[in-house]
């Protein structure tokens, strides 16, 4: 059977009222571009956004990291950027960090997650699009779904899940080349946890079923900070997860999002805030946040997508959002202090470093405290 590729490529190319949401004209421009210029390349597509990040999901038969598919999306973002400029949107072209396209969008600013699959008779999958946070925001939910029966009862109920999963984890601090490690759950769960606790450095790139060898998860690993060498906005990652049969059920994949765990991002990408599961196409608000994640569920047949289901659009998640709002309020009360703001290693290229350098010269070594 011919393989199908699911590609999600997303970028922030400009938004209304600061970093809140792209304009309708911008979204329409990107959508029209993909529809007209992509008609001989792609089978189907869907455009959506979380906050100011616009995601292009395409299905096609060209495999991952395909130059033509990536160029199509890059050029759609360029077309959208022109609209952003013409409307005076904030941060026009924000995530397009390179002037010329080179092969594929990895390392150029946009986030990308792709899965090349042999379609099962029924092929359900989820697409997550996050804003005001970093790729490591998915570490904890993926860990809990793929290793912990407290969140994923399928690990004890379904024989196909019991064999566990292989995690591929990337050390994104190593910028010269891709540096990855493969670890198997359940045997190496503690090693996986030891890495995934550090959301800024170790990021899940992919997960495979050990029962079938099939790939369940593809996540974006882009850290803009590492590409640009300075703060240019948060990475706002995307994620694809196949569900059911050899993979966890949809409800098991979304169950960890009930936690609203604290992640890096929020105002100026420099704070910790709880990750709020939001309806797709939500805006950003409180303190340029909270960090937000939307999720659409699809089925795909011969590359044709069904209409999406907005997974976090349900009364249950209204209650979660109330709780997450309370968590956001709680950490915001302490302003810049301690755990509320990110450590220096994450702030190193911003104004605070200049302040510290200036103050360093004023420090004196004294013999005796007076
Ligand atoms: P159904 O019995 O409705 O198919 O549900 C099975 C399942 O996987 C629920 O998590
Ligand atoms: P984005 O990364 O979503 O553009 O947000 C940047 C920012 O500084 C928000 O305060
Ligand atoms: Mg922005
Ligand atoms: Mg954003």
């Amino acid at each position: 059977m011919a393989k199908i590729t699911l590609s999600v490529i997303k970028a922030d190319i400009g938004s209304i009222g600061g970093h809140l949401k792209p304009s309708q004209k911008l979204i329409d421009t990107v959508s029209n571009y993909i529809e007209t210029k992509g008609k001989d390349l792609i089978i189907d597509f869907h455009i959506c956004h979380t906050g100011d990040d616009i995601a292009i999901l395409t299905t096609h038969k060209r495999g991952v990291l395909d130059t033509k598919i990536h160029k199509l999306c890059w050029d759609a973002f360029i077309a959208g950027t022109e609209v952003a400029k013409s409307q005076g949107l904030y941060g026009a072209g924000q995530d397009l960090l390179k002037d010329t396209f080179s092969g594929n969008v990895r390392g150029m600013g946009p986030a990308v997650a792709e899965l090349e699959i042999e379609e099962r008779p029924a092929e359900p999958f989820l697409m997550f699009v996050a804003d005001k946070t970093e790729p490591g925001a998915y570490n904890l939910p993926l860990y809990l779904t793929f290793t912990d029966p407290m969140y994923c009862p399928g690990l004890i109920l379904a024989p196909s899940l019991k064999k566990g999963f292989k995690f591929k984890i990337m050390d994104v601090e190593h910028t010269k080349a891709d540096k990855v490690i493969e670890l198997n759950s359940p045997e190496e769960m503690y090693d996986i946890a030891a890495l995934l606790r550090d959301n800024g450095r170790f990021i899940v790139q992919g997960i495979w079923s050990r029962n079938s060898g099939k790939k369940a998860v593809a996540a974006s690993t882009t850290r803009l900070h590492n590409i640009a060498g300075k703060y240019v906005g948060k990475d706002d990652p995307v994620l694809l997860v196949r569900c059911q049969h050899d993979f966890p059920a949809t409800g098991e994949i979304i169950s960890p999002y009930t936690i609203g765990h604290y992640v890096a991002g929020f105002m100026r990408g420099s704070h910790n805030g709880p990750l709020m599961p939001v309806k797709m196409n939500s805006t950003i608000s409180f303190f340029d946040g909270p960090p937000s994640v939307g999720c659409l569920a699809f089925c795909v047949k011969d590359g044709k997508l069904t209409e999406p289901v907005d997974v976090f659009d349900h009364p249950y998640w209204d209650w979660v959002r109330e709780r997450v709002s309370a968590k956001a309020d709680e950490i915001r009360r302490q302003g810049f202090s301690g755990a509320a703001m990110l450590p220096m290693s994450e702030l190193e290229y911003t104004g605070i470093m200049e302040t510290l350098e200036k103050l360093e010269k004023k420090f004196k070594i004294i013999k005796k405290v007076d």
Side-chain angles (χ1 to χ4, degrees):
M1 194 199 284
K3 286 187 173 174
I4 295 290
T5 307
L6 309 173
S7 297
V8 53
I9 299 184
K10 77 95 236 172
D12 174 351
I13 50 172
S15 50
I16 305 174
H19 296 276
L20 307 186
K21 68 169 281 199
S23 69
Q24 194 55 50
K25 193 170 173 194
L26 187 159
I27 295 167
D28 291 345
T29 303
V30 170
S31 187
N32 290 338
Y33 193 96
I34 298 291
E35 190 168 9
T36 50
K37 306 284 185 197
K39 63 179 186 304
D40 299 328
L41 281 178
I42 62 173
I43 302 169
D44 210 347
F45 75 103
H46 185 85
I47 310 268
C48 57
H49 73 91
T50 299
D52 60 10
D53 286 272
I54 174 162
I56 307 170
L57 171 69
T58 59
T59 63
H60 54 90
K61 291 187 177 168
R62 304 185 60 85
V64 303
L65 291 175
D66 179 73
T67 299
K68 286 191 171 157
I69 297 293
H70 283 227
K71 177 94 165 55
L72 174 71
C73 294
W74 178 264
D75 288 344
F77 289 140
I78 299 272
T81 298
E82 288 312 311
V83 171
K85 284 182 187 158
S86 75
Q87 292 188 302
L89 299 191
Y90 194 70
Q94 180 185 285
D95 287 354
L96 308 183
L97 300 180
K98 306 276 153 121
D99 294 330
T100 45
F101 181 81
S102 55
N104 65 66
V105 300
R106 279 197 71 206
M108 298 185 70
V112 52
E114 296 180 292
L115 280 171
E116 189 178 30
I117 61 171
E118 239 165 62
E119 280 181 358
R120 299 168 291 170
E123 188 58 63
F125 73 93
L126 304 176
M127 173 175 68
F128 293 83
V129 182
D131 189 31
K132 305 298 182 268
T133 190
E134 62 181 9
Y138 296 126
N139 279 358
L140 182 65
L142 289 172
Y143 175 82
L144 293 174
T145 292
F146 286 90
T147 73
D148 188 345
M150 295 286 282
Y151 286 81
C152 180
L155 294 168
I156 50 178
L157 296 175
S160 59
L161 302 198
K162 207 174 169 188
K163 284 203 179 152
F165 292 88
K166 179 180 84 179
F167 282 67
K168 195 182 263 189
I169 297 169
M170 186 179 278
D171 177 354
V172 294
E173 249 171 43
H174 191 86
T175 49
K176 288 197 286 287
D178 288 349
K179 183 175 166 191
V180 297
I181 186 170
E182 291 186 358
L183 293 167
N184 285 318
S185 72
E187 311 89 280
E188 295 171 302
M189 266 177 74
Y190 294 165
D191 294 336
I192 294 169
L195 295 178
L196 296 189
R197 58 158 291 284
D198 189 346
N199 290 338
R201 177 164 180 193
F202 299 108
I203 298 170
V204 177
Q205 188 197 24
I207 301 177
W208 285 257
S209 158
R210 293 173 72 192
N211 187 49
S212 64
K214 287 181 186 150
K215 192 167 183 183
V217 170
S220 63
T221 52
T222 308
R223 293 227 46 204
L224 297 177
H225 162 122
N226 295 349
I227 298 172
K230 61 179 172 24
Y231 180 65
V232 287
K234 247 347 189 210
D235 322 297
D236 303 336
V238 288
L239 171 71
L240 291 170
V241 188
R242 296 165 80 190
C243 28
Q244 306 294 143
H245 291 291
D246 266 345
F247 309 124
T250 303
E252 292 165 337
I253 295 162
I254 60 174
S255 63
Y257 293 89
T258 195
I259 300 168
H261 63 301
Y262 288 108
V263 295
F266 226 165
M267 174 59 71
R268 296 182 185 275
S270 303
H271 296 80
N272 284 310
L275 185 65
M276 181 181 280
V278 295
K279 295 174 193 175
M280 193 53 84
N281 303 327
S282 287
T283 63
I284 287 299
S285 182
F286 172 60
F287 201 63
D288 278 9
S292 298
V293 60
C295 175
L296 293 182
F298 294 89
C299 277
V300 59
K301 187 78 179 174
D302 301 326
K304 274 276 170 205
L305 295 166
T306 58
E307 72 271 31
V309 173
D310 191 343
V311 172
F312 295 134
D313 184 2
H314 184 277
Y316 174 80
W317 298 101
D318 291 337
W319 175 77
V320 170
R321 287 189 274 272
E322 296 270 323
R323 280 179 32 239
V324 174
S325 294
K327 287 185 72 168
D329 182 62
E330 204 51 57
I331 196 155
R332 284 314 320 134
R333 282 170 190 274
Q334 68 179 67
F336 57 77
S337 181
M341 200 181 254
L342 296 188
M344 280 303 158
S345 54
E346 293 291 315
L347 298 174
E348 62 193 319
Y349 297 107
T350 65
I352 199 161
M353 294 312 287
E354 288 156 32
T355 305
L356 287 180
E357 268 167 39
K358 199 175 81 200
L359 295 179
E360 181 60 28
K361 295 189 194 108
K362 289 187 166 183
F363 272 97
K364 291 180 186 136
I365 307 290
I366 52 170
K367 296 229 163 58
K368 195 166 85 189
V369 180
D370 47 31

